[in-house]
């Protein structure tokens, strides 16, 4: 039983690290931001696998010749930390539910398999702040708490650049309206996986939303138009972007 559980835990570690690796590799190497739908069946199967592994840990008795070893403790701790960190990259409600189940189940596995009382205390003390930071604040970001809204998109006459007016709905940070110049790229859509290009952009104008509100408290977005291919007019003010 202990050997089967060990192999299952390794498989869960591989699955937990797979999506963050794809996400980070595509962003830093290919300059594309990976997005995944995380369908409900996928999340349900993953959650059941974590619950099953956590339940199996209670089938192995402590102190037996086939009992848990230090390797079990190390891998369980690694799995717990990975599930916490991976929760930041689950950008859907099913993905967040799966993250919570994975975090709780892996924590139960760690408490059960840890070979040292003080090891459990130390890792738990380190992990609790991480859970609050990654699993709560990180998930709130993933759940579009910091959603950006594209207000206007104006291509240049040669269509090689696009001026984009973006309203960043970050009310608790004061809010920001920004004008950027981007070079458009193609979106790679693979169904469940979607890779959105990280734009080659230049921020040329930005203001706090509160500074743009009119008398009725409505946000006044800047008027944007091109004057040739190298000059952008923002509320009539020219900006050279060459």
């Amino acid at each position: 039983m202990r050997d089967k559980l060990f192999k299952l835990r390794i498989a869960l570690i591989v699955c937990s690290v797979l999506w963050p690796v794809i996400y980070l590799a595509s962003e830093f190497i290919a300059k594309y931001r990976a997005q995944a739908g995380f369908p409900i069946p996928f999340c349900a199967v993953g959650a059941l696998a974590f619950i099953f592994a956590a339940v199996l840990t209670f089938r192995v008795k402590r102190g037996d010749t086939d009992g848990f070893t230090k390797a079990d403790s190390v891998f369980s701790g690694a799995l717990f930390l990975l599930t916490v960190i991976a929760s930041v990259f689950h950008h859907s409600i099913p993905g967040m539910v799966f993250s919570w189940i994975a975090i709780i189940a892996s924590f139960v596995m760690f408490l059960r398999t840890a070979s040292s009382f003080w090891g459990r205390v130390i890792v738990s003390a380190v992990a609790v702040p991480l859970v609050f930071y990654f699993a709560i604040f990180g998930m709130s970001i993933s759940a579009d708490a910091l959603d950006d809204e594209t207000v206007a998109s104006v291509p240049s006459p040669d269509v090689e650049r696009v001026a984009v007016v973006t309203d960043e709905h970050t009310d608790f940070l004061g809010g920001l309206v920004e004008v950027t110049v981007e070079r458009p790229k193609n979106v790679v859509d693979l169904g469940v996986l979607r890779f959105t290009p990280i734009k080659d952009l230049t921020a040329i104008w930005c203001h706090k939303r509160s500074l743009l509100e009119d008398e009725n408290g409505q946000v006044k977005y800047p008027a944007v138009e091109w004057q040739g291919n190298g000059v952008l007019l923002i509320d009539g003010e020219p900006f050279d972007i060459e």
Side-chain angles (χ1 to χ4, degrees):
M1 178 62 71
R2 182 249 168 207
D3 292 337
K4 294 179 180 178
L5 182 58
F6 187 83
K7 293 177 182 178
L8 177 57
R9 193 183 298 112
I10 295 297
L12 293 177
I13 288 176
V14 172
C15 293
S16 296
V17 77
L18 185 61
W19 170 241
V21 167
I22 293 175
Y23 187 97
L24 294 174
S26 63
E27 182 166 345
F28 289 101
I29 298 177
K31 301 304 180 183
Y32 273 77
R33 181 165 289 113
Q35 299 172 337
F38 293 115
I40 293 177
F42 168 82
C43 296
V45 171
L48 288 175
F50 272 93
I51 294 173
F52 181 64
V55 171
L56 287 182
T57 58
F58 292 91
R59 297 287 302 276
V60 181
K61 296 181 180 180
R62 296 178 180 275
D64 290 353
T65 54
D66 294 330
F68 296 119
T69 65
K70 290 184 178 180
D72 290 293
S73 177
V74 171
F75 281 108
S76 294
L79 177 61
F80 174 53
L81 294 177
L82 279 174
T83 55
V84 173
I85 296 173
S87 67
V88 179
F89 302 94
H90 295 160
H91 296 188
S92 69
I93 293 178
M96 288 185 288
V97 173
F98 160 73
S99 291
W100 275 111
I101 294 176
I103 289 171
I104 295 172
S106 59
F107 185 57
V108 170
M109 277 186 272
F110 172 72
L111 292 180
R112 176 65 182 170
T113 62
S115 58
S116 168
F117 169 78
W118 287 111
R120 292 196 295 269
V121 171
I122 293 172
V123 172
S124 300
V126 172
V128 167
L130 288 177
V131 168
F132 277 97
Y133 181 77
F134 287 115
I136 297 179
F137 182 73
M139 285 182 181
S140 67
I141 294 177
S142 300
D144 294 331
L146 303 181
D147 190 23
D148 294 345
E149 177 187 0
T150 299
V151 178
S153 181
V154 184
S156 62
D158 59 7
V159 200
E160 292 187 359
R161 297 186 180 98
V162 179
V164 179
V165 181
T166 304
D167 187 349
E168 299 182 1
H169 294 295
T170 52
D171 291 332
F172 62 95
L173 295 177
L176 191 71
V177 173
E178 187 175 60
V179 177
T180 59
V181 175
E182 304 175 353
R183 296 182 184 275
K185 298 178 183 178
N186 294 327
V187 174
V188 180
D189 194 345
L190 303 178
V192 175
L193 283 177
R194 179 183 175 90
F195 295 88
T196 306
I198 299 176
K199 304 293 186 180
D200 178 14
L201 59 86
T202 302
I204 58 177
W205 186 92
C206 63
H207 274 290
K208 293 287 186 180
R209 283 199 299 169
S210 58
L211 298 180
L212 300 175
E213 293 177 355
D214 59 20
E215 296 177 354
N216 298 321
Q218 300 296 319
V219 178
K220 296 169 56 180
Y221 296 112
V224 175
E225 61 179 323
W226 288 91
Q227 189 178 65
N229 294 316
V231 177
L232 187 67
L233 299 178
I234 303 177
D235 287 336
E237 181 181 354
F239 290 83
D240 187 358
I241 62 171
E242 291 292 349

